[in-house]
Amino acid sequence: MGIIESLGAVVALVVVLGVGTVVHEYAHASVLRAGGIPYDTEWLPDRDGTDLLRAGAFGTWAAVTPQALPENTSPWLLRTSALMPLALATPFTLIPLGIVPDPVSTGNPYVITGSVAWLACALPSPQDFSLVWYAEQAIAEA
């Protein structure tokens, strides 16, 4: 792979990670909105006076935080919201059925890199998994 292809793969990675991060966070927010739960979306919340590059490279990129949870909030609503980014992997479940072509079989480094970045955005964060296991506690503390 030449230098131009390598740079193109890096650009594809960065662009897809950026778009995927936005989609990941709004996947959380869509479930909260459907459940009537108010929420805040914060981009680069770990900035604390650091520059954008450092905050983005070493901190949290984004956070969707439910606000004013009613006592009767279903823990399953929060669990579903926390795991909703897994829906981003749906196109990859269609590959074995032959509905969607396998991005690796294309041999195109941009497609492969973009696919890996998209799958990375489909993974719930550690905070997301924490909410899955401790949804009742989150409701009680709200």
Side-chain angles (χ1 to χ4, degrees):
M1 181 167 24
I3 189 84
I4 299 297
E5 286 180 325
S6 296
L7 289 174
V10 168
V11 168
L13 177 79
V14 170
V15 168
V16 173
L17 276 177
V19 171
T21 298
V22 171
V23 174
H24 175 110
E25 296 304 325
Y26 284 123
H28 292 307
S30 67
V31 174
L32 294 174
R33 178 175 288 248
I37 305 295
Y39 61 88
D40 285 334
T41 305
E42 189 175 4
W43 302 100
L44 295 174
D46 294 341
R47 216 172 341 181
D48 300 345
T50 60
D51 58 28
L52 285 176
L53 181 60
R54 185 169 301 161
F58 301 113
T60 301
W61 289 7
V64 172
T65 308
Q67 302 296 316
L69 291 173
E71 287 183 24
N72 65 347
T73 301
S74 169
W76 286 102
L77 178 72
L78 294 183
R79 289 182 179 116
T80 303
S81 175
L83 294 177
M84 192 62 182
L86 286 171
L88 276 68
T90 302
F92 297 95
T93 63
L94 303 175
I95 292 170
L97 302 174
I99 298 171
V100 175
D102 183 5
V104 176
S105 68
T106 65
N108 184 328
Y110 314 129
V111 173
I112 295 169
T113 306
S115 298
V116 170
W118 189 259
L119 277 173
C121 292
L123 295 174
S125 69
Q127 294 90 343
D128 297 340
F129 280 117
S130 177
L131 186 57
V132 169
W133 299 115
Y134 299 105
E136 290 89 354
Q137 183 178 346
I139 293 168
E141 292 175 359

